[in-house]
Amino acid sequence: MSLVAQLDAATTAYYLPLVNNIYEDEPTIKKFMSKTRKVGGGSTIKVPLVNSQSCSGGAYNKTDTLTITQADVLTENHFHWAHYWSGNSINKIDVMENSDKAQIVNLLTVTMQGIKDNLQDTLAGDLWAAGGTDHITSVHEYLDYINHATIGDIDRSVASGAFYRSNLTASAGNLTYDLMATKMNDCKQHGKKFPDLIVTTQTLWEKYWSMTFNKVGMMNAQQNISDTAVKFWGADLMWSDKVESGEMYFINTDHMYLAVHPKDNLQWSGWVDKEPINRTKTLEGSVGITLQLICDFPMSCGLLQGLS
């Protein structure tokens, strides 16, 4: 078996699961994958929309005729697939000089860990910041409808697109329990269910922790440290260094989730020997993924901006 074939076999068997951990190691990616749904594999993603404007109904008696009035409303939105890749290289001299099995294991582990960390960091960043047409649609774009009016086919700056807006407070001011409670209630009122995920900056997370600790003291101090240890009204409250200063997101993961293309879910390219191509003694390999962040009901989510 050739060197490339041996490395490919080892990579596929033992090291691709390491890359698959991007769905588990980064807490916000993990939350958005927790309620992922199967979608078709076409060139665009068709997403049915939650839009109560299209319904007829009410109380009636047994002699009434039940009439459904047709309404000319948008029933689906369309999104592009976003493609991501992460690659790394191994020097063939390094492989030769580390041909012992344990040394090869270490070499592949470090190489594949780099691929995984790079891809994970890129996706975690694009979840929260607008990245352009080739990137996933970010949480920020979905919920900041003032600065990002058009999402897919829907223009939220006009009345017909108002149902696709979020519960946005642009200049929130000082962080308080009352402010967070109001935002949770806004999302429940318009979205039928309380958000189950709150994501903010480290600074605001620590302020919330301080506020909570001052009220309940040692009860909180005794909790096991984890990404889901801190909650507000049952919602996991996390921080991410990818979130813009002064922002706090209230998310309903029933209506906002990551969808992954069924034919491009962390596909491995195989190791490619570059020496016959450009006379460099390197082997190159990469992992690719095609996905999109989907939101079928932004009104179930909220955003506080300008927090301090």
Side-chain angles (χ1 to χ4, degrees), residues 77 92 105 170 252 259:
N77 203 359
K92 292 170 70 175
V105 166
N252 185 330

Side-chain angles (χ1 to χ4, degrees), residues 172-217:
N174 188 46
L175 178 65
T176 64
Y177 285 123
D178 288 345
L179 193 62
M180 295 174 68
T182 297
K183 187 57 59 182
M184 291 287 281
N185 283 328
D186 287 344
C187 296
K188 171 69 162 60
Q189 178 184 357
H190 299 112
K192 317 304 180 188
K193 182 180 179 182
F194 288 120
D196 59 316
L197 174 63
I198 302 172
V199 183
T200 188
T201 65
Q202 181 179 348
T203 298
L204 289 170
W205 186 97
E206 288 173 355
K207 182 173 182 179
Y208 173 81
W209 171 263
S210 179
M211 291 161 50
T212 305
F213 187 87
N214 288 338
K215 286 184 175 294
V216 299

